[in-house]
Amino acid sequence: MNKIKFSAILFALSTIFFFTSCQEEFIENDLIEGKWREEAVVLDADAPECQLLSYVEYSKYVADPQQRIVTKFDSCASSIVKNTYSIKDNILTVVDEKLVTKQYTIELINETKMVYYDKNNKMYSFIRYK
């Protein structure tokens, strides 16, 4: 009887370990989370106020991929676009409502700045919105 209990416990622990080890790992202090403004706009002394108020915001990186939202707020056009995003290694993947997928290679991300490139090597540079 003890062998059966031991085997059952071992099987349960193995199953739990298998499923938890396959889950995606999440960084507790996710650097992408928050609001970002285009660096070129922030540094442009002649930028219109509406451009200075525009931003991109990344929600917290959670387990449910549908809850990872990137919101683009364009103050000049008074528009808001929401897409989902994911990150694997240094690849940022953004999927829009029509399921069009765009991938970017993250070069730098820290507390104040984020830089990434699209497939055509176009650079996107952002400064954290305080």
Side-chain angles (χ1 to χ4, degrees):
M1 190 68 161
N2 285 338
K3 272 188 167 183
I4 294 173
K5 284 183 184 179
F6 178 75
S7 296
I9 291 171
L10 186 61
F11 176 75
L13 290 174
S14 298
T15 303
I16 291 169
F17 176 76
F18 173 77
F19 284 111
T20 57
S21 66
C22 293
Q23 290 179 349
E24 189 171 355
E25 290 184 33
F26 298 100
I27 300 168
E28 193 162 315
N29 294 319
D30 188 13
L31 289 174
I32 199 167
E33 180 182 350
K35 292 181 182 177
W36 298 88
R37 295 188 296 171
E38 289 185 44
E39 183 175 31
V41 172
V42 174
L43 299 177
D44 182 358
D46 297 325
E49 183 71 18
C50 66
Q51 285 185 342
L52 291 170
L53 294 173
S54 298
Y55 61 85
V56 176
E57 181 175 16
Y58 291 85
S59 69
K60 187 171 182 142
Y61 201 84
V62 296
D64 181 2
Q66 296 304 312
Q67 298 300 312
R68 297 181 212 143
I69 306 296
V70 56
T71 304
K72 183 174 182 179
F73 174 66
D74 183 343
S75 182
C76 298
S78 296
S79 69
I80 296 175
V81 176
K82 293 189 176 202
N83 299 315
T84 59
Y85 78 98
S86 63
I87 298 173
K88 178 142 175 84
D89 298 324
N90 69 330
I91 303 299
L92 168 65
T93 303
V94 178
V95 181
D96 70 14
E97 70 279 351
K98 295 178 183 174
L99 301 179
V100 175
T101 302
K102 293 183 181 177
Q103 290 191 319
Y104 304 92
T105 302
I106 299 171
E107 178 181 280
L108 167 75
I109 186 165
N110 60 33
E111 291 293 331
T112 59
K113 189 170 182 174
M114 173 171 54
V115 178
Y116 55 76
Y117 292 86
D118 68 10
K119 67 180 182 178
N120 297 316
N121 261 354
K122 179 180 177 187
M123 182 179 80
Y124 297 85
S125 183
F126 298 89
I127 294 176
R128 190 171 298 279
Y129 198 135
K130 300 195 183 219

